[in-house]
Structure formats: structure tokens, C-alpha cells
Amino acid sequence: MSSWATLKIDEKIEAIREAHAKCSGTARTISEKLFELHGYQVSRNAVIGYYARQAEKLKDMPLCGPRAGENKKPLVRESRTHRPKAVATVNAYAEVIEFVPPPVAMPQSRNLTLMELGHRECRYPVDGEKERTLFCGNATGDDSPYCTYHHKLCHGHGTHSERNIDALLRRVA
């Protein structure tokens, strides 16, 4: 009898197919059947990992959830829906608050070295490595090391609560 680790891919797939046909189709029951039928000590996580790596070859025998006898739904992640970039939300007082990030045009980089940068010039690296790094060099705001474009690029538009702070302050005041 050989061990699970020494089996070839096709032999493992055949063993999983045989075990899947004789059990409920969960990773736990497949691993138990592999031990009963062939003596392979395979963990539940190893079965899940093998299904993940060999998904194309095992797609006709999907893994099922823990209550496979009740409803035999395959454990497949549904595709995520992407929200639009500008999302309208409604707060507790039914005011519609809409956040639309302001468009900021990408500036033309001045390609300055660190020694050439002056006070209030953008320190965003745009090219090079180590001592040959070149920086944007455009004008910055009062309290930022980056120009407006690179500041937005680095910091994003904030969390939902950060974007709605003005409405919250109006409500409290």
C-alpha cells in the first residue's frame, strides 16, 4: 500500500472520485472514506486544498457543505458585485448624502532627486531605485509631503464615517 504523498495526480483524483461517490461529499467524509477504502490518512484541509488546486479536474464532483444530506449545495463563492465609485447613502434624518471624489488631474512630474527637492515640494517617488530615485517635485499643501494628486493616491477617500463627518457635525450642532 502506498501513501497519499507518493501518489500521482491522476491516482489522487481517482481515489477522491471513488470516495466522493460513496459518501456525502464533504471534505471530512471524503477524507474518512479515503482512509476506509485505501488506508490513506488525509486531513479534511488536505482534501479542500486538493480541490482548490485541481478545481478543473474535480468540477463535476464539487465539495458540499457540512449538512450535505439536507441540501447538497456546492461550496462555491459567488462573484462579488462592485459598488459604483460614487455611492449615495441616507443618514438617520433621511438626508441624501452623496460622496463623489473630486477629479484630480495627474501632474507632470519634475523628476527631482532628493537633494534637489525644496520645502513644500512633493516627495512621491516616481522613478529609479535607492540613491537614483526621482521624486514628483510639484507643490504640496500646507501639511502634506505630497501634491494633491499623490496625496489622493496614497490616502484614498476615507471610510464611510470619515466621508460623512460633516453631516454628523451638523446633526450634533
Side-chain angles (χ1 to χ4, degrees), residues 117 121-127 134-137 145-146 150 153-154:
L117 281 174
E121 289 182 330
C122 182
R123 283 163 165 60
Y124 189 86
V126 292
D127 194 24
L134 298 175
F135 297 88
C136 172
Y146 304 126
H150 290 122
L153 188 68
C154 292

Side-chain angles (χ1 to χ4, degrees), residues 83 87-92 95-100 157-172:
R83 289 190 286 172
V87 179
T89 58
V90 178
N91 68 11
E95 292 178 47
V96 176
I97 303 169
E98 188 171 344
F99 172 74
V100 179
H157 59 272
T159 64
H160 177 73
S161 58
E162 289 171 337
R163 291 191 308 264
N164 292 328
I165 193 70
D166 293 331
L168 178 67
L169 292 174
R170 280 195 311 263
R171 225 179 7 184
V172 172

